[in-house]
Amino acid sequence: MSDSSASFQPPSPQQLQAHLQRCAPRRTVQPRQVLLAICVITLVIWMLGSAHPLLSLVPWVMLMGLLIYLSVRARRQQALMRQVRVVSELAMTRRSRDALRAAWKLLPDLSGLPQAHGQVVTILASVLAQLRAHESSLVACDYLLPHIPPNHPASYMVRAQRLLDLLHIDRLADADDAIRDLRSADLDPLSGAMLRTAELYQQIITHHDEDAALGSDDAIAALQPLGIDAGYGYALLATAFIRLDNAPDAGAWWRRATLLLPSASIFEALPETQPLTALPASPTVDQFLRPTESTTEASHG
């Protein structure tokens, strides 16, 4: 991570709201509108006849200008979409501050591309949540939802992210309403897994540990669409079991969690899991792939 990214702090909710308003998508002149204007001008010139011979060049000049404009516009859009992919990759590889900084700088250039604009704001909401800036993440979610059809899978994902943000900032009554709303929806597997994590988190912070433990039988299958983020759900289940003095099950879920995620990342994201510090953790996939110091020293010996 570069120094500039390391020093780039998450924006306040007010700062993010102002930035989103400045960078909101705007209406632009579409190529079909220019083509229609050329057709109208051509028709007018045809009606005028040959009284003004130079006028016959006007439609061709306009058409040539349109072709140049379309070429430049296409290259610019391709460059911007490459930058959007870079932002997405940074977020997926958990380089959260790098992703936040890149998304913040890119957003003003996407005002003419509403779909890409929405994609980057969605990434902003996700990385802000990763950085525990949940109030700002909530601003991003509330900005997005009016622009997404309510039954679209993207809407369910944003609503699930919003639900998690509400829980993290202790807006429990609003979160309870959001949970009931999502339970009645036909969710895709990923949104369903996010909802399941939110339900587990709600049960932990409200000390309904038995309810969390009772739902553990299908938890692996239910959380699987989250990939390595399923580790957060496993850690919440481990917390429920350790509070219930069930050390064997707590240890099993904690080993599953730390096989996917470093324990430090879990404790930072979910302070409620601190009771698990005494339990042995599994090596994460990252640790398996990273050479140990002793191996490195031996190779240089």
Side-chain angles (χ1 to χ4, degrees):
M1 183 182 296
S2 65
D3 292 340
S4 57
S5 294
S7 62
F8 191 81
Q9 298 301 315
S12 69
Q14 296 76 17
Q15 289 172 327
L16 180 60
Q17 185 70 55
H19 192 58
L20 291 174
Q21 290 175 350
R22 284 194 300 269
C23 304
R26 62 176 186 270
R27 277 186 69 87
T28 57
V29 177
Q30 298 298 318
R32 62 177 176 271
Q33 295 172 319
V34 180
L35 279 172
L36 179 60
I38 291 175
C39 291
V40 170
I41 292 171
T42 302
L43 180 61
V44 170
I45 292 172
W46 178 78
M47 292 174 66
L48 290 174
S50 57
H52 303 85
L54 290 178
L55 288 178
S56 62
L57 297 176
V58 173
W60 298 106
V61 172
M62 291 185 66
L63 184 59
M64 183 62 67
L66 176 63
L67 292 175
I68 294 172
Y69 163 75
L70 289 176
S71 176
V72 172
R73 184 172 183 264
R75 286 199 297 270
R76 175 169 169 75
Q77 287 185 357
Q78 289 170 1
L80 288 172
M81 293 310 298
R82 283 195 295 270
Q83 292 182 60
V84 171
R85 287 194 293 272
V86 169
V87 172
S88 179
E89 289 166 3
L90 289 171
M92 290 177 64
T93 54
R94 297 182 178 276
R95 295 173 60 186
S96 301
R97 290 190 184 275
D98 289 330
L100 174 61
R101 184 173 185 272
W104 185 272
K105 292 178 64 177
L106 179 59
L107 208 54
D109 296 329
L110 299 178
S111 58
L113 297 170
Q115 193 167 3
H117 172 89
Q119 184 179 348
V120 170
V121 177
T122 303
I123 294 170
L124 267 176
S126 176
V127 297
L128 285 167
Q130 290 173 16
L131 294 168
R132 299 189 66 189
H134 291 286
E135 290 187 351
S136 296
S137 177
L138 187 63
V139 167
C141 292
D142 286 340
Y143 171 85
L144 284 167
L145 284 174
H147 305 289
I148 308 174
N151 295 324
H152 194 280
S155 175
Y156 295 141
M157 288 185 60
V158 173
R159 287 158 62 188
Q161 177 61 63
R162 183 179 186 275
L163 165 58
L164 287 163
D165 292 329
L166 289 170
L167 289 168
H168 278 282
I169 61 176
D170 293 324
R171 288 176 53 180
L172 301 185
D174 292 333
D176 196 52
D177 291 341
I179 286 175
R180 285 197 298 270
D181 186 39
L182 283 170
R183 279 176 180 164
S184 65
D186 183 19
L187 301 181
D188 59 280
L190 179 57
S191 299
M194 293 174 70
L195 173 60
R196 183 63 174 272
T197 302
E199 290 174 324
L200 283 170
Y201 189 48
Q202 182 197 44
Q203 290 162 343
I204 292 301
I205 62 180
T206 57
H207 292 273
H208 287 76
D209 303 315
E210 290 185 1
D211 292 337
L214 285 173
S216 64
D217 290 346
D218 67 338
I220 292 178
L223 297 173
Q224 188 175 16
L226 293 172
I228 64 172
D229 282 347
Y232 293 118
Y234 298 162
L236 291 168
L237 284 168
T239 304
F241 279 111
I242 204 166
R243 286 179 179 177
L244 296 170
D245 296 323
N246 185 337
D249 283 343
W253 284 108
W254 183 235
R255 286 190 295 274
R256 290 188 184 102
T258 51
L259 186 63
L260 297 175
L261 295 163
S263 56
S265 297
I266 295 173
F267 293 138
E268 182 181 4
L270 300 169
E272 296 81 5
T273 61
Q274 287 295 328
L276 302 172
T277 53
L279 296 179
S282 297
T284 64
V285 173
D286 179 60
Q287 289 170 317
F288 274 127
L289 297 177
R290 189 192 310 123
T292 63
E293 291 183 6
S294 58
T295 303
T296 305
E297 290 173 0
S299 66
H300 287 83

